Amino acid sequence: MRAQPGDWLVVKSAREEFPDQHGRIVAVGTADGGPPFTVRWFLGGYVSTIFPGPDAVVLTEAERRAPAPNGGAARHSRRAGNRPRRGTEDVGPSRR
């Protein structure tokens, strides 16, 4: 997994009733963009260092804002039919 400062880290929730966690990557651990990543989390605003697992994806700002090909939720949604979870449609500072 590679990233650069300014990209978004999205950690998928293991349970449907909890939202995915979104954070802006503020620093990367290696010169080639590898982990660990220092992330400022959207909910709570705290900063942490993380080695992302298989439940995480890195998105550029353009990928995060791009609509899904079917006009539904963002492309990184795991849910059937790409429907957003109720109450999570406005997650992220781009919709503040």
Side-chain angles (χ1 to χ4, degrees):
M1 179 177 296
R2 301 287 176 240
Q4 60 185 1
D7 288 347
W8 287 86
L9 183 67
V10 179
V11 179
K12 303 294 183 179
S13 174
R15 296 178 51 184
E16 189 172 308
E17 62 269 17
F18 295 112
D20 297 343
Q21 299 298 310
H22 296 249
R24 175 82 63 149
I25 297 171
V26 295
V28 294
T30 63
D32 66 348
F37 303 138
T38 302
V39 178
R40 178 174 306 279
W41 298 100
F42 176 71
L43 295 176
Y46 65 94
V47 176
S48 66
T49 300
I50 182 173
F51 281 89
D55 57 344
V57 294
V58 172
L59 301 172
T60 65
E61 184 67 25
E63 289 172 328
R64 194 174 84 74
R65 290 178 181 250
N70 65 358
R75 291 187 305 209
H76 57 274
S77 175
R78 282 193 303 195
R79 296 199 41 170
N82 283 331
R83 294 183 318 250
R85 288 190 192 121
R86 186 172 165 173
T88 61
E89 295 86 6
D90 294 332
V91 172
S94 65
R95 298 203 184 225
R96 278 185 146 175

